[in-house]
Structures are given as structure tokens and as C-alpha cells.
Amino acid sequence: MTTGQPHVVIIGGGFAGLWAVRGLASAKLRITLVDRGNHHLFQPLLYQVATAGLSAPDIAAPLRHILRAQRNVEVRMATVTGIDADTKRITLDDGSALDFDTLLLASGATHAYFGNDHWAEHAPGLKTLDDALDLRRKLLLAFERAEAATDPAEREAWLHFAIVGGGPTGVELAGTLAEIARHTLKDEFRNIDPAQARVRLVEAGPRVLAAFPEDLSAKAKRQLEKLGVDVALGTPVKEINADGYQLGDAFVPAKTVVWAAGVAASPLGALLGAPLDRAGRVQVQPDLSVPGHPDIFVAGDLASLTQANGKPVPGVAPAAKQMGGLVARNIRARLSGGKTSAFAYKDYGNLATIGRMAAVVDLGKIRFSGVLAWWFWLVMHVFFLIGFRNRLVVLLNWWWAYWSYQRAARIILGRGERR
Amino acid sequence: MTTGQPHVVIIGGGFAGLWAVRGLASAKLRITLVDRGNHHLFQPLLYQVATAGLSAPDIAAPLRHILRAQRNVEVRMATVTGIDADTKRITLDDGSALDFDTLLLASGATHAYFGNDHWAEHAPGLKTLDDALDLRRKLLLAFERAEAATDPAEREAWLHFAIVGGGPTGVELAGTLAEIARHTLKDEFRNIDPAQARVRLVEAGPRVLAAFPEDLSAKAKRQLEKLGVDVALGTPVKEINADGYQLGDAFVPAKTVVWAAGVAASPLGALLGAPLDRAGRVQVQPDLSVPGHPDIFVAGDLASLTQANGKPVPGVAPAAKQMGGLVARNIRARLSGGKTSAFAYKDYGNLATIGRMAAVVDLGKIRFSGVLAWWFWLVMHVFFLIGFRNRLVVLLNWWWAYWSYQRAARIILGRGERR
């Protein structure tokens, strides 16, 4: 690496950050990619790790390995503790600092409890692999506790699973959990019938999958109900504690509540001194740079941008990849003295899986649901998984899960309170 | 389950416990299998999880799932807190108790630091899946820290890996770690050359794999050295702390020390009031029952037994399975008013893997090492893995690892101090 070359620092190895790094593969500059973890995560399949269908390494690949052949990039596993936009310097948790000529901040989003941070303890969310393994442990342990319970009310509370939030993650979790209760755990318990478990999807708004057209939302709801999920719409959760949750006027005893309701932008966005939107996302210029700081870009879930057509760019993986790609092109353009271009989101459609043989697909003019949509979803997701080996292992797991109704990763890990 | 039937409680779902449960499949009694975890672990491949070759679920299967069709057994996930041999009652950490007619204690072994318990913090051992994931994290993080280090001495300490103990686990870990440093991580770092990492196997005794004939020990040592492992024999480790370890008169700076030197029996053995050997194992009668308590059996790594030929039964998986099988037969014999039989260990041979294409096999009259031994080891281990799916996934992982030199599970999990 030549030290005289411009230094690009990219924070975050998610879709936006990684696609930007790749887009700069042959550029004459040195790149440092900083991430808290050592891996790129294929987040769309994270719910499968939480529900014991896949192992953590199946949907993640070490950033170093992905980028080993790209000699202009150095990968650094560290947490960013400060960003100084004026002196162009970031500080890391190991006490060191990095000076940059250009910065791309792509540190994504985290859970938001809308001011109820004390809910976090009782209703964990799903953003990282560690979250997924914690959730897996919580879900599997609930059935163990129910089996051991002698008090019928306690048993019922262990068998009540509430998922708060009717977006894609909530829908996926609810549908899969219903399958686990009804099929996967069949015959394995002696004191309880896992099929008696109640899986409830709670959404404050009037429909699930609000980003989809209304007819697909309705179809998704019907498919969820067919899988055994109880869908509660139009009532917000008012309180969550160790014993259950408050839904409207009723307190529902439940030992397992999962949070899939809200995301907030990464707190690093606030360090730039740029204007933020209500969710804490950085309001970027059309070329994805930060107002007043043409050498600082923001991309992915942390960027807030309304397109020329008046529509906001959605917080989905394809948008993050496209943003990362554009930032790379804009950095190259600057390098050769050219002008930057504005971001235009190319929407190829929207798809969400619901459970076994159930999904919805919205390709604009074409919409479909059910078995065909599920196959479409499967092919797309396996195709986009990074790395040949992962694809093969994931396919093998799914093939096995499909025919056996089993889930490969039903192993409780981690030292809990009672272990 | 009929309550009038005799109640057999089996503590531990390892090889001994699980084989005993299976041996009682059609017996007219009710069985409760108690385990701290929810899974049976194929311990011989645990080092592969620690060295990122396999995922945790690849080598484990839920006990409930394995035993779902055996209707006379109830699986209970709980930790045993007390055993009263006279009143025939065990107590569990959830406050409940189980009365038994017959007990099999098969809770295995744990690490032993020979009176130096403060070493545990700096030199973790490898007995459970959680241990393996902790160790994986520690090993992978060491390379990350070395890459970020600016002080050459600090960098060297991060790249020094010491494995204490030259038994099968130590040899496997050392050989695999050398392969990771030399091949897997090639090209992935920019400031360090992982191949410069020093992997040292420290054994206090005069040779590695002391349970094998001397010529195979010598061959194992040569194979380890060929893989790049520095084998230090005949010198005990005197101290281990956060900065390194004391070997004879020299203090060696090393940030990663792994403990593979000693096992101690599960502390539950002491609760029986029976005579223990030096390692804390229960000295059982020839029929594996406890002296003075004909209805209490001990099997697996927790049992200490010298055979008629004067040789002790070794603490290996085949012995545990055979013991579990015999306990089942002895319980059946009692049930029908018959006599119990004495345990006779059937030794089919001993094998240990060392690393890529390197292993030693001792079948008594036939001994061999190298590539052929490695293939023999591979076929045996995949064959004995529980569950069709696991075998397929493990084979696929190995096939991929073999051709690519890659390791599928190189994902750092868990929230460490600096995450």
C-alpha cells in the first residue's frame, strides 16, 4: 500500500460498505474498512439463525476473506468511538485514530424501543448474529421451561410467544415459530403439546407488511393464520415486562416477547454534525454526501434521502448495495476531477417470506403469493448469498428442513442464568 | 408413562448416558434423562468447532429429538444440585426433586488445573460447545489484535499460541492451528504474515499421545513438526498469566494459552459418598454399581475401574458407550430377577488426528500413520456421528475445507470486552 495515495475510510461492512469497497477495487487509493465484527452478515436470513434453521456461519463470511484479493483494502476489526468531520479523523476503541481524505459512514441501524428502553431486556430484537443466538436460546428454552412447569398458568405463559411488529422480520419470525411449534417439536415432549403454543403477531398499524400493496398484506395475513399465527392488528403494545405485555386494556401473560417493531439509525450518524431525520438518519445530499462535507458520504440504512419522485429510499438490502456502488463511483469521479452523480433507486420489487410454502412477491406490475412466491423467494435469497460454500450448505439445510420438518441448529448455546 | 413402573434416573446425555437410555428402549420402566444442556455432543469433533472448521450444531443433536420415539423416556434440561443415595432422591436447580429406584450417574469430566485454578481465566479448556465457541473467538481475535498492534513485542505475543498438554485434544488443536496460520489466513492480513505465528505444543511428559505405542508417538511428533508445530517435551508449565507462561526457567510472552492438559471428574461423583480415585472418579464395582448401593451405577469418564487384566478402562468414547450399554443390561437383569455382569472393555484400537493428512492409528497388531491413517480417522468419525444430516454437512464442510484450505465457521461470536 502506498502511503501517498488518498485514504478512504469506510465504516461498516454491511451491504452498503462492502459494495462500496468492491466498487473501488481498481482505484488508486488506499481503503480501510472498519467493522465491529469480523464478518459480513447476510441479514435477510438472520431470522433463520434465530429460529434454529441455519448456523451462524452459514449466513456470514469473514470480511478479510471476502476482500483478501483486493490489495488496496485493509480490514480493521474495531469499534468507532469518535468522528471529527472537520479534522477528518476517526478514533477507535483500541485508542488509535485514522485520518481520512474521504469517509463513507455505513454503520446501519439498530433496534428502537420508542423511548421505552427498559423493554429491551424483556423483548430482545434481531440485528446481529449474537442477537440471533440469544433469541434462539430464548425460544428453545421457553419450551423446556414449559415442559418442566407444574403450574398450568406458568406453563401457558411459557407457551405464549408474542412478536411485536408486523414488518418482514416479524412476519418471518411468527410464521417460522408457528411451524416449529406445530411440526418440528412434535412428539418430543412428554408433559406439553408444543402445538398448543400460541404465536401472536402484534402490529399497531392496520395491516402487516405495510410496505406492500394492500392485497398482498391481506394475503400475508391469511397465510400467517393458516400457519397457526394469531394476528392482532390495530392495537399498540403499551408495556412489556418479565411477566408479559399490555395490549390495549388487557395484560397478557407471556414469557417470550420478541421486538421487531422499530429500527433507529446507528448513533454514529449524530457525530457528523449533519441534519438528522426523526429516526436519527443522516439527511444526505442527492449524491449521498453530507451537507457541507463533500468528502463525507453516508449510505445504507443510516442515510435518509427522498428521491426526485418524492418517494423515500427504503431501508432494504438492494438500496444499500446500490448506494454503496454509487458512493464508489462518486469517489472515483472526484479522484479524476469529475462530478458526482445523484442517487436513483432502482426498485426491482419487494418480497417477503412468511413460512413454509408461504410468501408474497411484489414486482410492480406482477404480484403473487403462496407456493410460487416462496420458491421465488428461496431462489433469490440463495442466489444472493455470498460465497459458494454458504449457498450449498444453506440449500442442503433447507432441503433437509423441508422434507423432515426438522431444524438443524436446535442447540442451546450460551451460559444462561440457570445453566 | 405408567407411574407404577420402576423409575430410572440417568444424569448426563453424553455417550454413557445416551447409550444406557437406548439400551433400555423396550424395558418396562420409566426413565428420566437429566442434562444441563439440551443436546448430545459428539465430543471427538469439538476441536473442529473451536478451530472454526465446523459449526456448533454440526456436532450436536437435541436429546429430545434423538429420543422422541422412545416413549418410556422423559428428557429434562436441568442442573443437578444434590444426590441423596440413601433416600434415593436427586434435587434440581429449578427447585424440584426426582425420586429414583435406580440411578445412573454419567456426568463425565471437566478441566483440571492441578491446584492452579487461577490459570483457568488465562488458559481456557475445551469440554463443551460454549468452551469451543469461546476458544474460537479467542484464537481468531488474536490474529486481529496482532494485525492492529503497533509494538513489535506485543504483536509477537499475539502471534504466540501455546497449547498445554500433548494428549489427543492438544495434538489436534496444535496441528489445526498451524494449518490455519499457514494456509487459511494467507493473504488476508496487511500488517502481519499469519504464517509467522508460532504454535507450540507443551507437554510435561517425555512424549505426545502417551496412550499410544512409542513409535506412533514419535511419528505424531514428526507429523506435527512438519505441519509447523513447535513441540516442547519434558518441561512442565509452572505459571500462566495474562502475559504468557513460565516454561522451566523461561517466561514466554503469549496472549493465547489453551489448556488441554488435565481432566477431573464431575463434582457430582463426590455426592454419592463412595470411594473416589485421585482424579475424583468414583471407584465402581466390576458391574459398574457403587459399593454399598447396588441400585446406583456410574459410567463413562466419571467411573474408575481396573479390569481383571490389571489395566484401567480408558476415558474414551467407545468405553463410555460400552459402559452405558452394560448398565442398561444390568438394570434389565435386575428387573427380571437375574444377576448383573462385570464390565469388560472391548478395545478396538486407538486413533488420533494431527492435522491435514496426518493421523496415527493403533489397532493392536496393525499400526499406521500419515495419509492413510487420516482417511481412516475421517471415515470412522463421520460414520459415528449421530444423525444423517450432520454427517452430510460435516462431509461437505470437510470436502470444502480440504480443497480450499478454508474454514467455514470463521465467525467471531459473543460480546467480548472490546466489542
Side-chain angles (χ1 to χ4, degrees):
Chain A
M1 228 168 284
T2 322
T3 335
Q5 289 174 341
H7 186 206
V8 178
V9 170
I10 296 178
I11 300 174
F15 288 116
L18 186 56
W19 260 250
V21 173
R22 284 175 158 178
L24 294 169
S26 54
K28 283 196 174 23
L29 32 76
R30 51 190 192 97
I31 306 166
T32 304
L33 174 62
V34 181
D35 196 285
R36 287 188 303 174
N38 79 329
H39 50 273
H40 172 74
L41 173 66
F42 190 77
Q43 225 162 9
L45 289 179
L46 196 55
Y47 82 98
Q48 287 267 357
V49 175
T51 53
L54 294 174
S55 296
D58 292 343
I59 63 159
L63 286 166
R64 293 193 180 287
H65 183 66
I66 298 172
L67 297 168
R68 67 194 179 284
Q70 187 173 332
R71 303 304 298 181
N72 67 350
V73 62
E74 180 176 334
V75 175
R76 186 79 177 267
M77 183 178 164
T79 300
V80 174
T81 52
I83 303 176
D84 190 321
D86 296 320
T87 62
K88 293 188 156 187
R89 163 173 284 206
I90 68 165
T91 46
L92 302 177
D93 60 341
D94 59 11
S96 65
L98 292 172
D99 293 311
F100 60 81
D101 296 298
T102 303
L103 175 70
L104 166 58
L105 183 58
S107 47
T110 178
H111 323 298
Y113 290 87
F114 309 130
N116 296 294
D117 286 349
H118 62 289
W119 294 1
E121 185 192 339
H122 308 294
L126 186 60
K127 271 286 163 192
T128 66
L129 277 177
D130 287 317
D131 291 344
L133 294 180
D134 287 350
L135 192 51
R136 184 200 288 174
R137 178 180 167 79
K138 198 175 164 76
L139 297 174
L140 295 176
L141 269 179
F143 289 100
E144 297 292 332
R145 299 292 178 246
E147 171 81 350
T150 45
D151 174 40
E154 192 194 341
R155 179 173 295 171
E156 208 174 307
W158 280 117
L159 287 177
H160 190 115
F161 298 85
I163 289 119
V164 183
T169 300
V171 166
E172 285 160 350
L173 282 173
T176 313
L177 201 48
E179 183 189 331
I180 290 177
R182 289 196 165 189
H183 297 288
T184 309
L185 300 180
K186 202 178 170 179
D187 291 332
E188 297 197 7
F189 292 82
R190 301 294 182 252
N191 304 320
I192 59 164
D193 175 5
Q196 299 299 315
R198 188 155 180 197
V199 179
R200 182 184 255 181
L201 182 65
V202 180
E203 165 58 46
R207 58 194 179 100
V208 298
L209 299 179
F212 283 75
E214 280 192 39
D215 59 327
L216 286 183
S217 286
K219 278 183 180 152
K221 179 167 181 276
R222 275 203 297 280
Q223 291 183 74
L224 279 168
E225 286 164 349
K226 222 173 118 192
L227 289 166
V229 177
D230 166 17
V231 182
L233 298 176
T235 317
V237 168
K238 285 184 182 159
E239 176 61 22
I240 303 172
N241 61 35
D243 298 320
Y245 59 99
Q246 181 83 29
L247 191 66
D249 296 332
F251 185 81
V252 186
K255 292 286 189 185
T256 312
V257 181
V258 182
W259 189 255
V263 294
S266 150
L268 293 180
L271 300 179
L272 296 177
L276 305 179
D277 73 2
R278 259 181 23 152
R281 296 178 303 168
V282 180
Q283 291 181 320
V284 292
Q285 305 279 89
D287 70 351
L288 302 180
S289 69
V290 172
H293 292 288
D295 289 325
I296 300 183
F297 295 90
V298 177
D301 285 354
L302 183 55
S304 170
L305 179 68
T306 304
Q307 301 171 88
N309 64 9
K311 282 190 183 170
V313 180
V316 295
K321 290 181 192 174
Q322 292 175 28
M323 284 183 174
L326 181 78
V327 169
R329 285 195 298 281
N330 282 346
I331 292 174
R332 282 169 183 279
R334 286 260 177 73
L335 209 63
S336 57
K339 281 197 166 174
T340 60
S341 314
F343 182 70
Y345 175 50
K346 251 191 136 157
D347 188 353
Y348 295 103
N350 210 351
L351 51 169
T353 183
I354 293 161
R356 194 179 185 77
M357 301 293 247
V360 288
V361 174
D362 171 24
L363 302 177
K365 283 172 197 160
I366 309 167
R367 298 174 189 172
F368 51 107
S369 62
V371 180
L372 186 66
W374 185 77
W375 279 105
F376 185 82
W377 174 90
L378 188 144
V379 170
M380 282 295 141
H381 278 72
V382 170
F383 180 79
F384 282 117
L385 248 190
I386 278 189
F388 163 75
R389 193 207 75 97
N390 287 9
R391 273 179 216 165
L392 214 66
V393 172
V394 167
L395 266 185
L396 180 70
N397 269 312
W398 283 350
W399 168 83
W400 186 76
Y402 184 77
W403 292 109
S404 69
Y405 276 97
Q406 269 309 313
R407 307 190 69 79
R410 276 176 47 211
I411 305 302
I412 297 181
L413 295 170
R415 299 178 173 92
E417 358 62 83
R418 292 220 300 182
R419 175 123 184 201
Chain B
M1 231 168 281
T2 323
T3 336
Q5 289 174 340
H7 186 207
V8 178
V9 170
I10 296 179
I11 300 174
F15 287 117
L18 186 56
W19 260 248
V21 173
R22 285 174 157 179
L24 294 169
S26 53
K28 283 197 173 28
L29 33 75
R30 51 191 192 96
I31 305 166
T32 305
L33 174 62
V34 181
D35 196 286
R36 286 188 304 176
N38 79 329
H39 50 272
H40 172 73
L41 173 65
F42 191 76
Q43 226 163 6
L45 288 179
L46 196 55
Y47 81 99
Q48 287 266 357
V49 175
T51 54
L54 294 174
S55 296
D58 292 344
I59 63 159
L63 286 165
R64 293 193 180 290
H65 183 65
I66 299 173
L67 297 168
R68 67 195 180 284
Q70 188 174 329
R71 304 304 299 181
N72 67 350
V73 63
E74 179 176 335
V75 175
R76 186 80 176 266
M77 183 179 165
T79 300
V80 174
T81 52
I83 303 176
D84 190 322
D86 295 320
T87 62
K88 293 187 155 188
R89 162 173 285 205
I90 68 165
T91 46
L92 302 177
D93 60 342
D94 59 10
S96 65
L98 294 172
D99 294 311
F100 60 83
D101 297 296
T102 303
L103 176 71
L104 165 59
L105 184 58
S107 47
T110 179
H111 323 297
Y113 290 88
F114 309 130
N116 296 293
D117 286 349
H118 61 290
W119 294 1
E121 185 192 340
H122 308 294
L126 186 61
K127 271 287 163 190
T128 67
L129 277 177
D130 287 316
D131 292 344
L133 294 180
D134 287 349
L135 192 51
R136 183 200 290 173
R137 177 181 169 80
K138 198 175 163 78
L139 297 174
L140 295 175
L141 270 179
F143 288 100
E144 297 291 333
R145 299 291 179 248
E147 171 82 350
T150 45
D151 173 39
E154 192 194 341
R155 180 174 294 171
E156 208 174 305
W158 279 117
L159 287 177
H160 190 115
F161 298 84
I163 289 117
V164 183
T169 301
V171 166
E172 285 160 350
L173 282 173
T176 312
L177 200 48
E179 183 189 330
I180 290 177
R182 289 196 164 188
H183 298 287
T184 309
L185 300 180
K186 204 179 167 177
D187 292 333
E188 296 197 8
F189 292 83
R190 301 294 181 253
N191 304 319
I192 59 164
D193 175 5
Q196 298 300 315
R198 188 155 180 200
V199 179
R200 182 184 255 180
L201 183 66
V202 180
E203 165 59 45
R207 58 191 178 102
V208 298
L209 299 179
F212 283 75
E214 280 192 36
D215 58 325
L216 286 182
S217 285
K219 278 182 180 152
K221 179 167 181 277
R222 276 202 298 279
Q223 292 183 75
L224 278 168
E225 286 164 349
K226 222 173 119 190
L227 288 166
V229 176
D230 167 16
V231 182
L233 298 177
T235 317
V237 168
K238 285 183 183 161
E239 177 60 22
I240 304 173
N241 61 36
D243 297 318
Y245 59 99
Q246 182 83 27
L247 191 65
D249 296 332
F251 185 81
V252 185
K255 292 285 190 187
T256 313
V257 181
V258 182
W259 188 256
V263 293
S266 151
L268 293 181
L271 300 179
L272 296 178
L276 305 179
D277 73 2
R278 259 180 23 152
R281 297 179 303 170
V282 180
Q283 290 181 319
V284 292
Q285 306 278 87
D287 69 352
L288 303 179
S289 69
V290 171
H293 292 287
D295 289 324
I296 300 183
F297 295 90
V298 178
D301 285 355
L302 183 56
S304 171
L305 179 66
T306 304
Q307 299 171 86
N309 63 10
K311 282 190 183 170
V313 180
V316 295
K321 290 181 192 176
Q322 292 176 27
M323 284 183 174
L326 180 77
V327 169
R329 285 194 300 281
N330 281 347
I331 292 174
R332 281 170 185 281
R334 286 260 178 74
L335 209 63
S336 58
K339 282 197 167 175
T340 59
S341 315
F343 182 70
Y345 175 50
K346 250 192 140 159
D347 188 354
Y348 295 103
N350 210 350
L351 51 170
T353 183
I354 293 161
R356 194 179 185 77
M357 301 293 245
V360 289
V361 173
D362 171 24
L363 302 177
K365 281 172 199 160
I366 308 168
R367 299 172 189 173
F368 51 107
S369 62
V371 180
L372 186 66
W374 185 77
W375 279 105
F376 185 82
W377 174 91
L378 187 144
V379 169
M380 282 295 142
H381 278 72
V382 170
F383 180 79
F384 281 117
L385 249 189
I386 277 189
F388 163 76
R389 193 206 75 98
N390 287 9
R391 274 180 216 165
L392 214 67
V393 172
V394 167
L395 266 184
L396 181 70
N397 270 312
W398 283 351
W399 168 84
W400 186 76
Y402 184 77
W403 293 109
S404 69
Y405 276 96
Q406 269 308 313
R407 304 190 70 80
R410 276 176 47 210
I411 306 302
I412 298 181
L413 294 170
R415 300 177 173 92
E417 358 63 84
R418 293 221 301 182
R419 171 103 198 222

